[in-house]
Amino acid sequence: MKYDRTFNFSAGPAMMPEPVLEEIRDEMMNYRGSGMCVMEMSHRSKVFQTIIDEAEQDLRDLMGIPDNYKVLFIQGGATLQFSMIPMNLMKNGKAVYVETGAWSKKAIAEAKKVGEVIVAASSKDKNFSYIPDCSDLDIPEDADYVYICENETIHGLTWNTLPNTKGHILVSDQSSMFLSRPCNVSDYGMIYAGVQKNVGPAGMVVVIIREDLIRDDLTDLPVYLQYKTHADAGSMYNTPNCWAIYCCGKVFKYLKSLGGLEAMNQKNIEKAKILYDFLDSSKMFTGTVAKEDRSLMNVPFVTESKELDAEVVAATKAAGFDNLKGHKSVGGLRASIYNAMPKEGVEALVEFLKKFEAEHQA
């Protein structure tokens, strides 16, 4: 396959599938005979109602979402959920969090503004390079929920075994691994994901929440911050992010056409193996995460020095690979290889890094 676009390894906003972008381009000026672009369209129109209904149904099909879960398309991105979750779910004012990286850390800081937060496990002792054993967490009986970030974008680790919540509600931030592998939704009380990493354009979060968790007694909470508001209005209490919903809907259909999440997971395993096999055999580059907890989506790695890291980043950019610099909080390098990154992109990067290493050691 000839690839004439930039291999964009950004953690988000990230690449979208080319067939989806081409379809969006073809519908840009006149969406299916409507005479207008979706960006110009009233969210109250029958045409847009069909778009949002189809997007929700396709997502339900992909994930096998049970009927007693609501699917909400909310603005504010995943970061707003750090506050909305404790505001809506803390009935007893107490929750358990597992700290595995930058994003769970941010969620903990916001939840502390609302109620008591118990950090039941953390991998901070080894710079968030592993997932702690959560088979026997100390969870108070009156804790309202247990919270995890299921894939840490910055530190590049993922949960392969969910925590034992001892009957408590599990809440998961799936932003950077959403729709990358099968997911048993009934294991969770709530799942949410900022869409700009693995699904669509920036500016929206998908929330999948069990109906019994949607409260109607939060009269003092601002109306827009209540899940009930969005659930009752079908995600259209106010003008939603119509463009993001439309684009995400295209991606949902595309994933279905590829064979769903099982097929996507296999592609992601094969793709990540190419990069991790190289890192494991390299004398110059080293992965920073325990092998059993490595993310298939975000791959952080380092050289022997910050100076050499910077040299590699500059060289990759000059060679046409973009956004391989590690997050400013951790440094190093990071390749985000989400669903839309073609296998050819990972192969090309590995070939470049091999060549760089050979030349540097010559």
Side-chain angles (χ1 to χ4, degrees):
M1 173 181 128
K2 182 178 182 300
Y3 200 84
D4 58 1
R5 300 179 71 237
T6 298
F7 289 124
N8 177 15
F9 291 92
S10 170
M15 294 181 77
M16 287 179 62
E18 273 203 10
V20 169
L21 292 175
E22 287 165 352
E23 199 174 318
I24 290 167
R25 174 199 63 199
D26 293 344
E27 292 177 346
M28 180 69 77
M29 299 302 290
N30 185 356
Y31 176 76
R32 300 188 182 179
S34 65
M36 63 183 87
C37 174
V38 173
M39 278 190 274
E40 306 170 291
M41 195 176 283
S42 168
H43 61 298
R44 303 294 180 197
S45 66
K46 285 183 182 177
V47 182
F48 186 75
Q49 189 64 54
T50 301
I51 289 171
I52 193 171
D53 288 347
E54 281 188 15
E56 178 178 338
Q57 190 55 56
D58 286 334
L59 181 58
R60 286 184 176 277
D61 294 345
L62 270 175
M63 296 183 73
I65 299 173
D67 291 342
N68 65 324
Y69 284 72
K70 291 284 189 186
V71 174
L72 311 175
F73 301 108
I74 303 176
Q75 296 177 70
T79 299
L80 180 60
Q81 296 309 306
F82 297 165
S83 304
M84 276 185 77
I85 288 162
M87 285 173 175
N88 282 266
L89 301 187
M90 271 192 182
K91 281 186 175 180
N92 299 320
K94 187 184 295 185
V96 167
Y97 281 65
V98 180
E99 184 185 39
T100 52
W103 295 110
S104 46
K105 199 173 173 182
K106 283 178 183 284
I108 288 166
E110 290 302 297
K112 281 180 175 176
K113 297 173 184 176
V114 180
E116 183 185 348
V117 172
I118 296 136
V119 179
S122 173
S123 55
K124 189 178 182 180
D125 62 328
K126 292 184 180 175
N127 195 28
F128 302 120
S129 60
Y130 70 101
I131 298 288
D133 178 7
C134 292
S135 57
D136 188 23
L137 294 174
D138 186 8
I139 303 173
E141 270 306 306
D142 60 346
D144 293 303
Y145 59 87
V146 176
Y147 179 102
I148 63 171
C149 177
E150 204 163 335
N151 189 92
E152 287 279 4
T153 321
I154 291 173
H155 290 89
L157 57 163
T158 199
W159 291 71
N160 290 308
T161 303
L162 293 176
N164 176 6
T165 65
K166 301 179 178 177
H168 292 79
I169 294 155
L170 178 62
V171 176
S172 175
D173 174 0
Q174 286 192 1
S175 293
S176 53
M177 45 86 76
F178 191 52
L179 303 185
S180 66
R181 66 188 190 194
C183 171
N184 184 18
V185 176
S186 4
D187 289 342
Y188 307 80
M190 177 179 155
I191 293 165
Y192 73 94
V195 301
Q196 76 279 9
K197 298 175 183 296
N198 217 17
V199 192
M204 190 178 76
V205 66
V206 174
V207 169
I208 301 164
I209 182 168
R210 212 171 63 210
E211 288 178 346
D212 63 298
L213 300 179
I214 299 172
R215 295 166 61 183
D216 57 8
D217 61 335
L218 297 168
T219 49
D220 292 336
L221 189 62
V223 67
Y224 198 78
L225 299 180
Q226 299 179 37
Y227 291 124
K228 180 175 167 53
T229 300
H230 302 281
D232 287 354
S235 298
M236 288 205 272
Y237 172 75
N238 67 332
T239 309
N241 189 331
C242 300
W243 184 249
I245 292 166
Y246 161 71
C247 295
C248 290
K250 294 282 188 198
V251 173
F252 301 156
K253 284 189 189 300
Y254 174 72
L255 292 176
K256 285 173 77 174
S257 77
L258 293 180
L261 302 189
E262 279 287 0
M264 202 65 243
N265 187 39
Q266 283 310 307
K267 285 176 183 288
N268 288 326
I269 289 169
E270 291 166 18
K271 204 164 56 178
K273 187 177 187 299
I274 295 165
L275 183 49
Y276 282 123
D277 281 355
F278 163 70
L279 293 174
D280 290 341
S281 65
S282 170
K283 289 183 170 62
M284 176 180 282
F285 301 100
T286 310
T288 58
V289 175
K291 286 187 180 182
E292 63 273 18
D293 299 323
R294 285 171 163 175
S295 169
L296 297 182
M297 300 285 101
N298 311 102
V299 183
F301 54 103
V302 293
T303 67
E304 64 191 24
S305 70
K306 289 180 181 178
E307 291 74 24
L308 187 53
D309 287 348
E311 192 180 328
V312 178
V313 170
T316 56
K317 192 163 181 65
F321 303 100
D322 211 7
N323 293 304
L324 278 155
K325 187 178 180 180
H327 191 270
K328 60 185 178 183
S329 63
V330 294
L333 296 99
R334 174 181 55 179
S336 292
I337 50 175
Y338 298 123
N339 285 354
M341 171 60 71
K343 185 179 174 184
E344 291 82 359
V346 180
E347 289 172 337
L349 175 63
V350 166
E351 282 310 306
F352 179 84
L353 294 175
K354 277 182 182 173
K355 186 166 175 279
F356 184 95
E357 181 171 355
E359 289 172 354
H360 190 272
Q361 292 179 336

